[in-house]
Amino acid sequence: MGFFKHFHYTNKSLAELQGEFEKLELDLKEIIANATQDEGDDEYDPCEDMTWQELLQRNSSINWRLLLSGYDMELGDVVTTNDLPAMEKVENYLNASDQRLLFLYSLTRFINHLQNHPHNIVGKGSSSFDCLRHMRKIFPLTMNYVYDKVYYNHERRSLSDPIINSVFEKLKQQFSLDLDNNQMHLTPESVQYLKNKLAALQLNIGNLPHNVSEEFYTEFISDLNVTGQQSFYRNHLEAVRHFFRHHRLLASPSKFSPVWYSFNLHMPDFWDNIDSTAYYFSRANYIVLPFAYLQLPFYDHQFWPSLLYGDLANTLGHELIHAFDTEFIYYDYAGNYNEDIPMAAINNPNFQANRQCLEREPTKFLSERIADISGTRLALRTFVKDPLFLRHNGKLFFLQFAQFFCGSTDKETFAKQDNSHDSDSERLNYTLAHLPEFAEVFQCPRDSPMNPKEKCRLW
């Protein structure tokens, strides 16, 4: 309220504003709920894709040009609308409402958002780490570019990239051999589909766009209007505007489409770990290996092979297997969604038997369990060709693998921080318990928790 009083925005009390805000929210919720009920069809899907030109030609009370005036829309751009009739009713309600109230409500919501932002350097301290974290969230592409120039420079990249790419290619070669062996007895058509996808699978080290010049980055930040004379909140709003404007420009069919699917521009509200751990991007069929991962204790280009394969190969193997798990197998070599051939593979009795084995111990995250076990098995098969070598070097491999899962967070806290994985200890113990090589190296008794009689895997 002090903020509003200082700028003479209103003389109303906090209680008065709160009551008006609550009524506004209730009215809007009722409009949306009634709009959905008016359709009278449980199968009704309010989402619709159309080009910008088609949206402009729609008979609608909404002035789309004015609403999206901050974006350089092109006629061929694809727009997704969510329940146009409801949006028009909302617009009519807002047009008839007190505009001062709407201003105060919007300003209040924005200030609350900024104050509760996990990387708000005003409210939660302005240490160098907090500032860096905030910059990485709001300027992911720019920060990756700076990191590439300052830290992961030409010299470091020339030493590191060949090693990483070599491990990645060896993993692909091994998995190709596994597909040729075809232990699940998939149809030739299914095997060929999987091999085509594997052959096209790429690796992006650092998550920077491919084949762009220095002018690309200069143009990217040319309209960024952030200055030290403005407040953090004003600069944050400008950064958000800049991000979403360029997010649309990068996806434009006529401008930057050749680079759009060569990297992944993270949304500002993505999970914090998305820019520090590797992940598979199904729509473009490549693996992102972030710069933040390429540091001790996870990786160094001078690592012994046991350490290199214990973490890097496991990480890349995990993401490689994601391309062939029960969720992403539907995306083909070019990132297009398919059903018929992948469904034939999934319905294969041996595929189903392997899947059911993995589900006997309940988990909400089957695809992660598949990637954990099959990715580690792939790293092991790629690394170890001689059983005697494993016997003498396996402990170091498994210790390096286990180090990746080290953490002090309890299960309940972990679940709040990460809603896409089982806890680290659950993942580690389950994975190792289903690897016969682990039981052999550490001499685990038969039928013990870390050496059960039945061992599960998908690939």
Side-chain angles (χ1 to χ4, degrees):
M1 283 304 299
F3 178 85
F4 288 162
K5 299 289 186 183
H6 176 78
F7 288 100
H8 307 291
Y9 285 149
T10 183
N11 291 319
K12 294 181 179 179
S13 67
L14 177 61
E16 289 178 297
L17 280 179
Q18 183 176 352
E20 292 179 344
F21 288 172
E22 289 176 351
K23 181 180 184 306
L24 175 64
E25 291 180 338
L26 287 173
D27 287 347
L28 290 172
K29 287 180 180 178
E30 185 176 354
I31 290 172
I32 295 172
N34 290 339
T36 303
Q37 291 174 4
D38 289 345
E39 297 300 328
D41 185 357
D42 293 338
E43 301 297 325
Y44 171 66
D45 184 0
C47 293
E48 186 177 359
D49 291 338
M50 66 187 79
T51 65
W52 174 236
Q53 183 177 26
E54 290 171 337
L55 181 61
L56 292 176
Q57 293 172 346
R58 277 289 183 95
N59 183 16
S60 172
S61 63
I62 300 176
N63 188 338
W64 293 108
R65 291 188 186 276
L66 177 63
L67 186 63
L68 299 176
S69 59
Y71 300 88
D72 297 327
M73 301 293 290
E74 299 179 5
L75 294 178
D77 288 343
V78 177
V79 178
T80 300
T81 62
N82 189 351
D83 204 337
L84 273 175
M87 292 174 66
E88 291 175 345
K89 291 178 181 179
V90 168
E91 184 213 22
N92 293 334
Y93 173 84
L94 295 178
N95 286 339
S97 299
D98 181 350
Q99 299 303 298
R100 169 64 60 169
L101 173 65
L102 297 182
F103 166 74
L104 294 176
Y105 177 79
S106 300
L107 184 59
T108 301
R109 289 297 298 265
F110 179 65
I111 292 175
N112 286 341
H113 162 73
L114 290 177
Q115 289 179 336
N116 294 321
H117 197 282
H119 307 298
N120 181 351
I121 62 175
V122 173
K124 302 185 180 181
S126 56
S127 68
S128 57
F129 176 81
D130 291 323
C131 183
L132 179 63
R133 199 81 194 104
H134 179 264
M135 292 289 288
R136 285 173 62 182
K137 295 296 288 184
I138 206 70
F139 295 117
L141 175 57
T142 309
M143 290 300 291
N144 281 344
Y145 173 76
V146 171
Y147 193 95
D148 182 57
K149 292 297 180 185
V150 176
Y151 181 75
Y152 201 74
N153 51 41
H154 177 73
E155 179 182 1
R156 188 180 295 267
R157 187 178 280 276
S158 66
L159 294 171
S160 186
D161 279 15
I163 294 173
I164 297 172
N165 284 318
S166 174
V167 171
F168 180 59
E169 290 303 320
K170 289 177 181 177
L171 289 167
K172 289 179 64 175
Q173 292 168 13
Q174 180 60 54
F175 194 63
S176 181
L177 291 174
D178 295 341
L179 292 175
D180 286 336
N181 290 334
N182 195 15
Q183 293 188 356
M184 284 193 282
H185 302 293
L186 303 175
T187 66
E189 186 180 26
S190 294
V191 172
Q192 191 59 53
Y193 171 91
L194 299 174
K195 292 199 68 172
N196 289 344
K197 184 173 184 178
L198 177 65
L201 182 64
Q202 300 293 315
L203 177 65
N204 184 325
I205 302 172
N207 196 24
L208 288 172
H210 292 168
N211 302 320
V212 297
S213 63
E214 294 296 316
E215 287 73 24
F216 169 87
Y217 296 99
T218 302
E219 181 178 352
F220 185 79
I221 63 170
S222 61
D223 66 332
L224 179 61
N225 185 22
V226 173
T227 68
Q229 285 69 46
Q230 300 290 345
S231 70
F232 166 79
Y233 298 121
R234 186 266 175 200
N235 282 336
H236 183 94
L237 181 59
E238 166 61 17
V240 171
R241 181 204 66 79
H242 178 270
F243 177 92
F244 284 102
R245 180 174 185 274
H246 282 273
H247 183 274
R248 198 216 61 76
L249 283 174
L250 285 168
S252 169
S254 66
K255 194 164 189 179
F256 290 119
S257 56
V259 305
W260 178 242
Y261 280 119
S262 70
F263 80 113
N264 189 15
L265 185 60
H266 299 159
M267 301 295 284
D269 58 350
F270 270 18
W271 325 291
D272 282 356
N273 66 351
I274 197 70
D275 56 5
S276 59
T277 57
Y279 61 90
Y280 173 67
F281 186 31
S282 61
R283 294 299 301 273
N285 193 29
Y286 64 76
I287 295 169
V288 172
L289 190 65
F291 286 130
Y293 169 85
L294 301 175
Q295 59 182 314
L296 294 172
F298 309 121
Y299 169 80
D300 188 277
H301 69 273
Q302 300 182 82
F303 268 175
W304 298 335
S306 295
L307 298 176
L308 192 66
Y309 278 80
D311 200 318
L312 175 68
N314 263 300
T315 296
L316 294 178
H318 177 103
E319 302 308 329
L320 185 154
I321 292 298
H322 266 312
F324 305 94
D325 67 22
T326 52
E327 179 179 354
F328 292 126
I329 193 173
Y330 291 102
Y331 293 88
D332 68 12
Y333 72 96
N336 300 313
Y337 187 82
N338 290 269
E339 279 196 358
D340 293 342
I341 299 178
M343 188 63 72
I346 288 177
N347 288 335
N348 177 283
N350 296 309
F351 190 105
Q352 283 295 316
N354 288 349
R355 175 178 178 169
Q356 291 166 9
C357 183
L358 289 166
E359 291 181 303
R360 286 197 183 106
E361 187 171 324
T363 178
K364 297 178 181 178
F365 315 109
L366 177 61
S367 62
E368 291 300 328
R369 178 169 288 179
I370 291 170
D372 281 342
I373 294 180
S374 295
T376 305
R377 284 174 52 84
L378 177 60
L380 270 172
R381 291 196 304 276
T382 306
F383 175 47
V384 180
K385 306 299 181 183
D386 181 356
L388 290 177
F389 182 84
L390 176 68
R391 190 173 302 168
H392 296 291
N393 296 271
K395 285 186 178 181
L396 195 57
F397 172 95
F398 287 117
L399 287 172
Q400 177 70 355
F401 171 65
Q403 185 173 236
F404 180 84
F405 295 96
C406 285
S408 58
T409 305
D410 61 73
K411 187 174 180 179
E412 289 71 22
T413 304
F414 184 91
K416 295 177 182 178
Q417 296 174 346
D418 187 335
N419 62 357
S420 58
H421 298 86
D422 289 315
S423 68
D424 286 342
S425 60
E426 288 177 299
R427 293 176 63 191
L428 176 64
N429 289 334
Y430 187 92
T431 299
L432 295 179
H434 289 263
L435 297 174
E437 295 87 350
F438 176 81
E440 178 186 347
V441 167
F442 286 93
Q443 299 181 344
C444 302
R446 286 181 61 82
D447 297 330
S448 65
M450 296 306 295
N451 187 16
K453 182 177 181 180
E454 182 181 50
K455 292 180 172 59
C456 303
R457 63 185 177 90
L458 186 65
W459 300 103

